[in-house]
Amino acid sequence: MNTYLFYTDEGYTVAPNNNKLDSLQILGIEDGKTKDEALIKLFSNNEWINKENFSKSRISFFVIIKSDS
């Protein structure tokens, strides 16, 4: 099973001086045999992602722990 970090380029962050900055937003980390399995878990465990209208098509990922099996 691999561990995936999911992120999006939607949204922004606010700097300490209150300026809005374009940035990547980390949506979560989930385990799965495949990216798709982990993505299903991400949405299941984080209902706020849909509620906040993040676009599924703009979600990207990195494998942060790769299984040896």
Side-chain angles (χ1 to χ4, degrees):
M1 195 167 296
N2 295 327
T3 303
Y4 299 86
L5 180 140
F6 292 95
Y7 65 96
T8 184
D9 63 354
E10 292 179 290
Y12 61 89
T13 191
V14 178
N17 63 1
N18 289 323
N19 287 336
K20 292 180 182 178
L21 304 172
D22 290 332
S23 64
L24 299 176
Q25 310 301 314
I26 294 175
L27 299 175
I29 298 171
E30 293 292 345
D31 295 328
K33 293 179 185 175
T34 66
K35 182 262 304 183
D36 292 331
E37 181 179 293
L39 188 60
I40 290 168
K41 287 182 183 178
L42 178 76
F43 282 108
S44 175
N45 293 333
N46 298 280
E47 293 179 2
W48 62 269
I49 294 172
N50 282 327
K51 288 180 184 175
E52 297 299 328
N53 294 321
F54 284 98
S55 173
K56 195 172 188 178
S57 66
R58 293 189 52 187
I59 295 175
S60 299
F61 70 96
F62 284 110
V63 177
I64 56 175
I65 300 175
K66 188 164 178 93
S67 173
D68 290 336
S69 55

